[in-house]
Structure formats: structure tokens, C-alpha cells
Amino acid sequence: MQLKVVKFGGSSLADAEHFKMVKEIVTAEEGRRYVIPSAPGKRFAEDTKVTDMLYKCYELAKKGENIESYFNLIKERYNLIIDGLGLDFDLSDEFVKIKNAFIHHAGKDYIASRGEYLSGLVLANYLGFDFIDASDVIYFTDNGSFDADRTNELLGEILKNHKYAVIPGFYGSMPNGTIKTFSRGGSDITGSIVARAAEADLYENWTDVSGFMMADPRIIKDPKPIDVVTYRELRELSYMGAGVLHEDSIFPVRFAGIPINIKNTNDRTAPGTMIVPETDVYDTDRVITGIAGKKGFSVISIEKDMMNAEVGFCRKVLGVLEELGICFEHLPSGIDTMCVIVNSADIAEYHDRLLNKICAAVNPDTISIEDGMALVAVVGRAMVKNHGTAAKVFRAVAKADVNIRMIDQGSSEFNIILGVNESDFETTLNAIYNEFVK
Ligand code: ASP
């Protein structure tokens, strides 16, 4: 029997009907032993996710406003689910505790985590599984980063005592016992952590789409699905904006070599996307696995004659970024030029300070910051073996009359990054997609 950890996203737990589907999925296989729920998501387009309702309620309480009526809406979401499932189960005591927490200005993370916590209580009751509070098994360190070693060791031990259990996603606890959440969408990370600790054969991540698409369907019409993708490819694609899975959720399972299967709760028979450690198999018609991209980058361009001979030039420039706590994305350079690509949002407050500090550090001939760049990543493990892929990418972009402002291809050869004007972003993605996918 294969041991599976199954995570269900908010859309898979939005209402009682979805809880019923979840039960059918979980009980269809004996090996689906550990279940990670999100908080209930949207039931229809204009609906609000429970997590967002909790954040809103937190803001109201912070401003000293009366939260009664808004808090009742949150209670109602859960009560509708409990009634719809016909459970003899009641969350009244929990609601009292949470309401008190609002009134006493409990931390934002604690408040946000209650969405998953309550979801977990209901689901455990409905499935007849044990409930393990994530705050007892997922640990953060004092500086707020996830404590992978401690969690893996202790969670692994605890799971041995529970054949079937529900563990809420999204949160854990700090060394002092307070609750801390991962970033938004973080239940994916919890699923991955539990899969590693349980030494699972597979991490199934159930959502509302049948896996990853080769490109963003909001930009490319009906993109083809990706059947198989490696962790490395996925990391590149999700970093560059391909949604579906939280980008940090790859690390725990990747570490343990456990594959992830993205599945659709509303279309159970669809195979979804398999994310695997390594594979030589690829679709010979396509060569590329996917295309993703993001707008909102800025280019810091620095020129100085004889820069190439000035030892430590790059280090000094990057030292300024480090001092201001700014990460950089890419670093294309020429003989006497150096460009640093950064997230525009990260430098918004620092424009002038950044320029002044770099000038003081390296005394350049010219320096400028230009906003409005979009990055596009063309990713494919098969690119290593297929000559001419880069030429094909550039031909497609040239045919679409788009000017490429930056090119970056790492030595791993499975990723080509292009920088284009934001206004050319959609055209670029379409041109590349249509060149490779017939
Ligand atoms: N409920 C949280 C959010 O909406 C975490 C999650 O769903 O993964 O971000």
C-alpha cells in the first residue's frame, strides 16, 4: 500500500458539497492517511475566502470597531458546512475563544491560522480521523524561519502514533508557543513537510485545476497541460509566477525525493501533473516544458571605463544592495557595463539612496534606474539535448517585433530568461508559446 499525504486547497473545502467530495477521495484509498486542509475558499467568484475574512476582522478589531456582525459571517461559513454534512458536532467553544482573541488583540498570525484550524477540526470529525494541531508539530525558529530539522524529527515520531490524521495547513508555532503562519497559500508547504516526515510515497495536492498548464491561461488561450515536470523546472516556473503551488512547498519533498501529484478535486479522473525528482522523458514535439513570466522589474545600469580591470567592482555594488536589504534577480554584464535587475517594489522607497550609495561606492561614469521591465522564463529539461532552442525562442520574439532588453541563460541550460518592456509581455509569451506548441 502506498502511503499518501493529501492536501486540499480552499476551493476543495469551500462548502459541504466539497467536503463530501474530499471524503470520497480520501476514503477511496486506504493509503491516503494524512490529510492537510486549507481554510474554506471561495464558493463563487465574488465570495470571500475565510482567511481573508479573518484578516478583515482582525483589522476591524484593531481599529476598535465592533466585530460582532462580521465575525458571525465567519461562524456561518463553518456552521453551514457542519449542517450540510449532518454532523453532530459543534464549534461554539472554539468560536468563543477566537472572538475573545480578537477582542484581546491576539496576533495577526494566530487569527489567520484559525481558518485552517477550524477546517481541520470539522474534517477530522467528518472523516473519523485523529486531529493533530499544527502548532504541536510544525516549528519555527526564533528568527521566524521554518525549523525543518526539529519539525521533521518530532513530527515523524508523532505520526507513528496516528494511523489516520488531519493536520491543518498554513501554521505552526514559535519557540515561545505563539502561532506563526507561512506566507499566503502556505498549506502547500505544510503538506510537503508532512509528506517528508511521514516518508510518504506520494504527496497529492488537490486543487481546482487539473495540474499545471504550459503557460498562464489568462494570457495564452487554452494552454496545454504539463504531464510531468521536474522539481527544478517547477521551481523556475513557480518563481516566475506560475501559480497552483506555493513555491516554497517544493523543498521538503524534494529533499526526500517524494513526487507531488497535482490533482483536481472536481475532475478526479484527470491525471493532473506529476512533479518528479528527475526524468529523461519529455514530449519530443515540444522541447519546452513551460513558459512563465512577471512584470514589475527595474534595471540598474552602471557604466564605467575599465570596469573590467577594477577588482571588487561588482562586490561593492552588490554590497550596497545587501546593506539596503534588496535581493537581485539577474546580473547581466559587459566589459565596462553592469546591470542589476531587481524587483521594482523592493527599491521603490530607495531610488535616490540607492543611486547615491552606489555612486559613493564605485564612482561610475553613468548610472540609471529604469522601471517597466518584464521577465519571461522559458523552461525545459529537454533544452539541454535539443540544439537550436534558444534560436527558436529569439526568432519567435523577433517575428513578433519585440525588442529583447536582456538575456540570461544559466549553465544548467534548462532555462532561458528574457527581459522585455512590460508593454510587450503578453505578445512575447504568445509568440514563444505558438512557436513551440503546435
Ligand atoms: N488559507 C491560507 C491562504 O488563503 C493558506 C492556504 O490556503 O494555503 O493563503
Side-chain angles (χ1 to χ4, degrees):
M1 182 184 69
Q2 274 210 324
L3 196 169
K4 296 184 182 179
V5 168
V6 284
K7 180 258 166 178
F8 292 92
S11 54
S12 303
L13 293 161
D15 53 23
E17 287 320 301
H18 278 89
F19 267 71
K20 289 179 189 166
M21 290 184 192
V22 164
K23 184 168 187 173
E24 281 172 24
I25 292 168
V26 173
T27 53
E29 282 187 30
E30 229 184 295
R32 292 193 173 124
R33 288 177 41 198
Y34 300 121
V35 183
I36 317 300
S38 281
K42 292 184 180 195
R43 295 159 293 182
F44 41 88
E46 310 75 43
D47 200 12
T48 310
K49 292 175 169 191
V50 165
T51 309
D52 290 317
M53 297 175 86
L54 288 163
Y55 280 128
K56 165 122 192 251
C57 211
Y58 170 85
E59 293 303 332
L60 292 176
K62 203 166 121 188
K63 284 191 227 143
E65 289 181 27
N66 188 333
I67 60 162
E68 188 74 30
S69 57
Y70 201 75
F71 187 65
N72 282 342
L73 294 177
I74 299 175
K75 280 167 51 176
E76 192 187 46
R77 288 289 309 259
Y78 288 97
N79 286 337
L80 278 173
I81 293 171
I82 293 170
D83 292 348
L85 299 176
L87 295 177
D88 180 18
F89 178 67
D90 172 46
L91 287 173
S92 307
D93 291 348
E94 298 294 342
F95 290 143
V96 171
K97 271 192 238 158
I98 297 171
K99 195 163 162 209
N100 277 331
F102 274 117
I103 292 165
H104 294 104
H105 302 293
K108 194 171 180 180
D109 283 14
Y110 171 79
I111 295 295
S113 74
R114 296 305 86 185
E116 270 68 13
Y117 172 76
L118 296 176
S119 226
L121 286 176
V122 177
L123 191 60
N125 183 282
Y126 183 47
L127 293 173
F129 280 19
D130 298 341
F131 175 80
I132 302 177
D133 192 341
S135 60
D136 296 332
V137 290
I138 306 277
Y139 306 108
F140 291 86
T141 63
D142 272 323
N143 70 12
S145 55
F146 169 58
D147 192 340
D149 292 340
R150 177 162 181 239
T151 300
N152 195 51
E153 196 185 316
L154 297 178
L155 176 58
E157 280 309 307
I158 288 171
L159 291 178
K160 285 185 189 141
N161 302 323
H162 298 270
K163 183 148 190 227
Y164 294 98
V166 172
I167 305 139
F170 192 37
Y171 69 92
S173 58
M174 295 288 287
N176 66 5
T178 54
I179 298 281
K180 170 154 179 62
T181 59
F182 292 107
S183 56
R184 294 299 304 265
S187 300
D188 285 339
I189 309 176
T190 312
S192 180
I193 292 166
V194 175
R196 178 182 170 205
E199 296 177 13
D201 297 294
L202 184 66
Y203 170 25
E204 282 181 347
N205 189 299
W206 291 81
T207 176
D208 55 0
V209 289
S210 300
F212 280 94
M213 301 293 137
M214 284 189 69
D216 186 339
R218 287 166 302 186
I219 300 173
I220 309 287
K221 197 166 171 284
D222 295 330
K224 297 249 189 310
I226 301 178
D227 305 331
V228 179
V229 60
T230 64
Y231 289 133
R232 286 171 82 202
E233 289 175 310
L234 187 69
R235 167 95 179 112
E236 299 285 340
L237 289 169
S238 30
Y239 184 71
M240 288 299 286
V244 184
L245 197 65
H246 192 296
E247 54 171 298
D248 292 344
S249 64
I250 296 168
F251 295 110
V253 277
R254 180 174 176 175
F255 188 83
I258 301 165
I260 309 175
N261 193 186
I262 308 285
K263 296 276 286 176
N264 188 348
T265 303
N266 305 315
D267 183 7
R268 265 169 266 173
T269 51
T273 299
M274 240 348 194
I275 308 162
V276 297
E278 279 308 329
T279 173
D280 282 340
V281 181
Y282 62 89
D283 189 334
T284 41
D285 295 343
R286 284 189 210 154
V287 180
I288 62 169
T289 305
I291 313 165
K294 278 199 274 197
K295 292 183 180 177
F297 293 95
S298 302
V299 192
I300 309 169
S301 305
I302 306 164
E303 282 190 34
K304 187 174 185 186
D305 276 347
M306 306 297 288
M307 179 193 288
N308 64 323
E310 205 175 310
V311 175
F313 190 96
C314 281
R315 183 185 54 74
K316 287 180 200 154
V317 172
L318 296 181
V320 172
L321 295 180
E322 186 178 353
E323 206 185 302
L324 296 174
I326 300 166
C327 291
F328 73 90
E329 302 287 322
H330 296 279
L331 204 62
S333 62
I335 302 172
D336 291 333
T337 60
M338 170 181 179
C339 290
V340 190
I341 316 278
V342 292
N343 240 305
S344 306
D346 291 350
I347 59 162
E349 292 175 38
Y350 297 113
H351 258 225
D352 291 344
R353 265 175 78 197
L354 195 57
L355 291 177
N356 292 339
K357 276 181 175 282
I358 295 177
C359 285
V362 293
N363 192 24
D365 296 339
T366 63
I367 177 164
S368 62
I369 300 182
E370 216 184 313
D371 298 330
M373 185 190 259
L375 295 179
V376 173
V378 186
V379 176
R381 57 190 178 277
M383 288 185 345
V384 183
K385 295 198 185 104
N386 287 275
H387 296 182
T389 313
K392 231 170 141 180
V393 170
F394 299 134
R395 198 167 50 234
V397 179
K399 261 197 282 173
D401 208 16
V402 169
N403 176 37
I404 301 177
R405 290 176 54 193
M406 189 222 47
I407 301 168
D408 195 353
Q409 184 186 22
S411 53
S412 53
E413 284 184 63
F414 72 103
N415 194 5
I416 298 172
I417 312 259
L418 307 181
V420 296
N421 280 335
E422 281 183 345
S423 54
D424 289 329
F425 180 62
E426 286 81 6
T427 313
T428 307
L429 284 175
N430 272 288
I432 300 173
Y433 182 83
N434 293 329
E435 183 74 29
F436 284 92
V437 185
K438 301 291 174 219

